[in-house]
Structures are given as C-alpha cells and as structure tokens.
C-alpha cells in the first residue's frame, strides 16, 4: 500500500487516476488522523480529473478543516456538491454552516441559519430539533423570543403538552421580564396565533385567552367568563401579577383591588417584583392608597409592605423552562403511534430522525410507512429507509434479510442496483467478502458503468 509520500509523488507526475485509487484504498483501511491529509489529496486528484468528490467525503473534509483551521471558509467545498445532493443532505449542510458561523463568531449569520433551519422543520412538520441547534440557541440566543417561539411550535407538534406549557409560560413572562413593554402586544398576538395549533387542549387554551384579552379587551359575557377562568386557574405568583396587571389595564379597578388580596396571600408574594416590573400596581398593596382625600397620599407611605424585606426571590430565568432537556425517544414513539401521518410524511420524518441521530425512532417511522404504503415506489422508499437504519444500528442480519425482500419488490434496474450495492455493504460488515464480491459483480452485470461498485470491487480484489 502506497504511503502518502508516494501518493504525492504520483500527483507530482500527473498520475492522478493512480493516486485516486491509492488514496481511496487507504481511506477504506484507515480511520487515523491521516484521513484529513488523504481527503485533501483526494479532492485535488478528482479536481485534476474533472471528477466529482462524493458528498460524504466532502463533509468529512469540512469537519477536519473546521478542527484544523476554523477560520477557513467552507463555501468552496459546499459549492462542489450538486443541487440534488444539497437538497438530500440539507440538514447536514446546514449544521456544518452553523458550526462554521459559531466558530468564526458570525452571530448574525448564525441566528439566521438557526431560524431558517427551525422554519424548515416547521414547514415539513418535522418536530425534531438536533441537539447542536438547541445548544447554540441556548448559548448565544437564550432569551430570543422568536427562536423560542419557533421551538414552541415544534414542541406543540410532538403533543408534549406538559413541556409545551412550560415554554408558553416562559415566553409570556419574557414579554415582561426580558424585553421592553413596547412590543408586548405583538408578542402576545404571536403566542395567541401559535396556540391555535393544538386541538382539544383546554390546558393551553387558558394562555391563549390571557393573550386574547390583552389584545381585544372585555367585550361580552364570554370574555368575562374567560377572566373568571384565569382567576381560578392562575395560582403562581408571577401569573397572578400578570393577571392583576391585565385587570388594571382593562380599567377594572374594583376587581383589581379585590384580586390584589388573593395575590398578597400567595406564599410567593414579593413586593419587590412589583417594584421592578409593575411599579404602577404598587398602589394595590399600599394601605389607604385609594383614599382620594388622604393628605399623605402624595408622600412616602408608612404602610408599604415591608414583611419581605431581605427575602428577594431570584429573578426568573428564561432557561428554567425552555432550556430543559427535550422529550426523549419515548415521546416520539408515542407521537408516531397516535398521529395520523401519511406514508410520505412518515418517510420524511424517518429521514429527519436519522439525520438527527435517532436511528431507532427513524426505524419505527419507516416501518409504519412501509405498513401504510400502497404504491410500489413508496414501499421501496420506506424499505430503503429501514435498511439504512438497520445498518446504522449494526443489525446486519436483519438488514441482510430485508435486502432480499427489497430485491423481490424492486422493479426498475436502478432499484435493483441500489439494493444489490446495499447488500454488498452488509456482507462486507459481516466480513463475508465472497458474497460481497458476488453482489458487486451482479451490479456490474446490470450496469458496467456503475463507478462505485466497480471501484469497491477493485479494492476488494486488492486486499
């Protein structure tokens, strides 16, 4: 096997085809730190021959370069990927761009990439956020309302209402605690619109009522009923403070005065919280403040509640509810069982789960898709996804059995070639080189120009 020095000598002599074969052989047999150097040489050798470097090699090369030289632009490598592969590997490419932007401190671009990625998940109804997205969001944009609103939409799609409720509460509180009052109503409107997604969920409807009353006020008996429901439902001090603010804002002074007694009796009551966020509401907690003719009304009142002096509560952190670990795989299994997804949606979900490094869930989604599918094309797509998941999970015997089923169903030559090539990969992982050669030879018998099969067979014969 040629050394890297020998490969460089070949390339210096313009023996690029020979150098390519030598590099690919070494890449097959090594997983050492030399891969970066080998991949760089392979890219150069292929460019000299006007050949396309496989996307997976490009991704590995970018990963290595980001470790070695984070400041180096990755756009040159990404431009070499065909439009079709850019679509097929959208998640992988987007995550590489996000990683590069993070390493280079490009915060504006990083924000845009994360937002675009989450919007893509929303549009495709794929509620799976890769962990790297969560980590970057929490590290750099922890309190950003719009990114967290997008995350809320995705959580609502999972049906995880308990976690969704925590996120809703955090978003509502952030409108007061983490931003200026100027855009509060627009944020309430955005939350209200999002809460139309879940159906038959009285648990979340209460928060939509809260937002709607801020936007539209009290116009009829139905709105009065909503207010009563809020009074009954809210037992957390901070949400009671928000409700008291709403009553005051709606001009319901008498009701607000009565409700302030409930707020003050809450064991979490903190006068300093009002001083910081709702200074105009302190009047409800100062005795005699409503006596219009009180001669000391304009002077500092001696009746300010001082019982909690020295017991300030920690300021609410948005991460208390949003930055918690997301739902585990069980939630996604339940989601797939109980939602009425079409077979095409299930296949798209399987792809997303696989790209998000959740192969078990991806396998389950593809199995459901295969069961629901009616056309040969859709069945084969679902079976191919199952096959890919089994390979990643290391279940080679199951993958081998499935490959025979796939070949029985395959109609076109392209399908037969794909599944035969996959079968050869399984045999190689089972260390059955004889059967692997046989499968590759069958591929070449159908299409002698199948480059990957030919080169793989050549490498097997060289070993």
């Amino acid at each position: 096997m040629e050394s890297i020095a020998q490969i460089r000598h070949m390339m210096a002599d313009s023996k690029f085809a020979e150098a390519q074969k030598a590099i690919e052989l070494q890449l097959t047999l090594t997983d050492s730190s030399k891969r970066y150097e080998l991949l760089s040489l392979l890219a150069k050798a292929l460019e000299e021959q006007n050949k396309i470097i496989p996307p997976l090699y490009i991704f590995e090369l970018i990963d290595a370069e980001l470790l070695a030289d984070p400041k180096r632009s990755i756009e040159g490598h990404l431009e070499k990927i065909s439009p079709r592969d850019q679509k097929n590997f959208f998640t992988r490419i987007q995550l590489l761009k996000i990683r590069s932007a993070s390493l280079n401190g490009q915060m504006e671009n990083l924000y845009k990439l994360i937002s675009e990625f989450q919007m893509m998940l929303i549009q495709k109804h794929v509620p799976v956020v890769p962990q790297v997205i969560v980590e970057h969001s929490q590290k750099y944009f922890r309190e950003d309302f719009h990114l967290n609103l997008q995350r809320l939409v995705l959580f609502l799609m999972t049906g995880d209402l308990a976690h969704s409720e925590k996120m809703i509460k955090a978003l509502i509180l952030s409108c007061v605690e983490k931003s200026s009052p100027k855009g509060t109503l627009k944020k309430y409107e955005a939350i209200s619109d999002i809460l139309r997604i879940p159906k038959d969920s009285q648990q979340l409807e209460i928060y939509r009522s809260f937002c709607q009353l801020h936007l539209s006020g009290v116009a009829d008996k139905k709105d009065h009923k909503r207010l009563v429901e809020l009074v009954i439902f809210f037992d957390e001090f901070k949400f009671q403070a928000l409700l008291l603010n709403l009553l005051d804002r709606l001009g319901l002074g008498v009701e607000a005065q009565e409700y302030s007694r409930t707020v003050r009796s809450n064991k979490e009551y903190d006068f300093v919280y009002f001083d910081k966020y709702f200074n105009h509401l302190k009047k409800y907690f100062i005795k005699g403040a409503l006596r219009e003719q009180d001669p000391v009304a304009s002077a500092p009142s001696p009746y300010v509640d001082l019982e909690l002096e020295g017991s300030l509560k920690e300021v609410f952190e948005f991460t208390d509810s949003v930055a918690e670990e997301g739902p585990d795989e069980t939630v996604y299994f339940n989601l797939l069982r109980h939602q009425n997804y079409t077979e095409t949606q299930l296949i798209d979900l399987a792809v997303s789960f696989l790209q998000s490094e959740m192969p078990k869930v991806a396998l389950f989604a593809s199995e459901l898709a295969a069961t629901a599918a009616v056309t040969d094309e859709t069945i084969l797509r679902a079976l191919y996804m199952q096959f890919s998941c089994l390979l990643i999970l290391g279940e080679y015997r199951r993958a081998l059995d499935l490959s025979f089923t796939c070949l029985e169903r395959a109609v076109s030559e392209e399908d037969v070639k794909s599944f035969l090539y996959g079968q050869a990969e399984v045999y190689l992982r089972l260390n059955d080189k004889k059967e692997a050669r046989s499968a590759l030879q069958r591929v070449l018998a159908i299409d002698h120009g199948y480059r990957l099969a030919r080169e793989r067979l050549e490498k097997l014969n060289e070993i």
Side-chain angles (χ1 to χ4, degrees):
M1 187 172 68
E2 290 84 354
S3 66
I4 290 180
Q6 289 174 311
I7 291 172
R8 290 187 180 280
H9 186 69
M10 288 182 197
M11 294 184 68
D13 291 339
S14 298
K15 297 178 180 179
F16 300 114
E18 292 88 339
Q20 177 192 342
K21 289 183 179 180
I23 295 167
E24 290 177 338
L25 178 60
Q26 286 214 26
L27 286 171
T28 304
L29 301 176
T30 183
D31 57 359
S32 68
S33 58
K34 295 180 180 179
R35 289 185 70 84
Y36 175 41
E37 190 173 1
L38 288 168
L39 287 166
S40 299
L41 290 170
L42 177 62
K44 185 175 180 181
L46 289 170
E47 285 176 0
E48 293 292 343
Q49 300 174 79
N50 294 319
K51 292 183 177 179
I52 298 173
I53 183 170
L56 293 180
Y57 281 155
I58 292 178
F59 298 146
E60 188 176 353
L61 179 60
I62 292 173
D63 280 330
E65 280 193 356
L66 288 175
L67 284 174
D69 184 11
K71 299 296 182 183
R72 186 169 178 176
S73 173
I74 65 174
E75 292 302 323
H77 292 306
L78 295 178
E79 288 172 358
K80 298 172 185 176
I81 301 175
S82 69
R84 179 182 177 183
D85 284 332
Q86 286 192 18
K87 182 178 180 181
N88 292 336
F89 293 98
F90 174 83
T91 297
R92 185 74 181 270
I93 292 171
Q94 198 78 349
L95 293 180
L96 284 171
K97 288 181 177 180
I98 287 170
R99 184 180 166 198
S100 176
S102 175
L103 289 170
N104 287 284
Q106 299 169 347
M107 292 299 103
E108 186 176 344
N109 189 34
L110 178 63
Y111 181 90
K112 179 183 176 184
L113 290 167
I114 291 175
S115 180
E116 287 176 351
F117 188 84
Q118 293 188 159
M119 283 304 300
M120 180 275 295
L121 295 178
I122 291 170
Q123 290 164 4
K124 290 191 172 184
H125 298 278
V126 179
V128 189
V129 184
Q131 186 59 30
V132 66
I133 298 289
V134 177
E135 290 172 356
H136 279 83
S137 297
Q138 294 303 317
K139 184 175 181 180
Y140 299 111
F141 313 109
R142 174 181 298 176
E143 296 167 7
D144 184 82
F145 179 84
H146 296 288
L147 290 185
N148 284 302
L149 192 67
Q150 290 173 349
R151 287 282 309 285
L152 171 61
V153 176
L154 294 167
F155 267 107
L156 288 170
M157 289 180 186
T158 69
D160 185 357
L161 297 181
H163 197 86
S164 297
E165 183 179 8
K166 291 181 180 179
M167 294 187 73
I168 293 165
K169 289 159 70 174
L171 281 169
I172 289 174
L173 284 168
S174 74
C175 294
V176 173
E177 298 179 346
K178 305 296 180 181
S179 61
S180 67
K182 187 175 181 181
T184 300
L185 288 181
K186 286 187 177 180
K187 290 180 179 180
Y188 283 152
E189 184 177 9
I191 295 171
S192 177
D193 289 341
I194 294 304
L195 292 180
R196 293 176 181 172
I197 293 175
K199 297 179 180 178
D200 302 323
S201 176
Q202 184 65 31
Q203 180 182 358
L204 304 184
E205 182 62 27
I206 197 76
Y207 298 101
R208 184 163 184 265
S209 294
F210 174 80
C211 295
Q212 282 296 114
L213 287 168
H214 266 282
L215 296 168
S216 305
V218 177
D220 51 34
K221 290 183 179 180
K222 187 177 179 180
D223 292 330
H224 281 285
K225 181 183 176 183
R226 287 179 177 177
L227 266 179
V228 172
E229 288 173 346
L230 293 176
V231 170
I232 296 170
F233 183 82
F234 288 151
D235 56 5
E236 296 178 46
F237 164 68
K238 291 182 178 180
F239 273 87
Q240 288 183 343
L242 287 172
L243 181 52
L244 180 62
N245 180 59
L246 174 60
L247 292 171
D248 183 76
R249 183 173 177 274
L250 294 174
L252 302 173
V254 176
E255 291 83 352
Q257 183 65 46
E258 288 294 322
Y259 186 62
S260 67
R261 297 175 185 176
T262 300
V263 178
R264 185 161 181 233
S265 66
N266 192 306
K267 63 181 180 180
E268 297 294 329
Y269 169 70
D270 188 347
F271 185 81
V272 179
Y273 188 80
F274 286 100
D275 185 55
K276 185 171 184 179
Y277 298 113
F278 301 108
N279 189 60
H280 60 289
L281 299 181
K282 290 194 296 182
K283 61 188 177 183
Y284 295 112
F285 304 97
I286 300 175
K287 295 179 182 179
L290 295 180
R291 298 176 190 168
E292 296 180 0
Q293 305 301 319
D294 192 334
V296 297
S298 60
S301 172
Y303 298 103
V304 175
D305 181 3
L306 299 177
E307 293 176 1
L308 296 183
E309 185 173 346
S311 61
L312 291 176
K313 301 290 187 294
E314 182 178 348
V315 177
F316 178 84
E317 289 294 336
F318 192 72
T319 54
D320 286 349
S321 57
V322 176
E324 292 178 2
E325 185 178 344
D328 59 17
E329 291 184 345
T330 305
V331 172
Y332 293 117
F333 282 123
N334 291 332
L335 166 73
L336 294 169
R337 285 190 187 98
H338 302 301
Q339 296 292 330
N340 295 322
Y341 290 117
T342 65
E343 57 267 35
T344 302
Q345 289 175 322
L346 285 167
I347 293 171
D348 289 339
L349 280 166
V351 173
S352 183
F353 281 122
L354 197 60
Q355 292 173 336
S356 300
E357 300 180 0
M358 300 176 72
K360 290 183 181 179
V361 187
L363 177 61
F364 184 63
S366 58
E367 288 171 344
L368 291 175
T371 303
V374 291
T375 65
D376 289 337
E377 180 185 358
T378 309
I379 291 172
L380 283 173
R381 286 181 64 203
L383 291 176
Y384 186 78
M385 280 304 305
Q386 284 187 52
F387 183 80
S388 301
C389 295
L390 291 171
L391 276 183
I392 291 173
L393 290 167
E395 297 190 32
Y396 303 133
R397 289 295 176 187
R398 283 184 63 190
L400 184 59
D401 291 342
L402 185 62
S403 70
F404 289 109
T405 302
C406 295
L407 286 169
E408 289 175 2
R409 286 184 168 275
V411 177
S412 68
E413 285 190 355
E414 287 299 319
D415 290 334
V416 173
K417 287 189 295 183
S418 297
F419 288 122
L420 278 173
Y421 188 81
Q423 193 176 81
E425 180 68 27
V426 176
Y427 279 125
L428 282 172
R429 299 192 186 192
L430 291 171
N431 204 28
D432 191 340
K433 297 182 177 62
K434 180 180 177 182
E435 291 295 340
R437 287 191 182 92
S438 175
L440 291 170
Q441 286 167 353
R442 289 171 66 190
V443 174
L444 293 173
I446 298 171
D447 181 4
H448 185 69
Y450 200 117
R451 184 178 63 83
L452 289 175
R454 186 177 65 255
E455 293 176 354
R456 197 66 182 269
L457 186 60
E458 289 173 357
K459 292 173 187 175
L460 269 174
N461 291 332
E462 289 174 0
I463 298 174

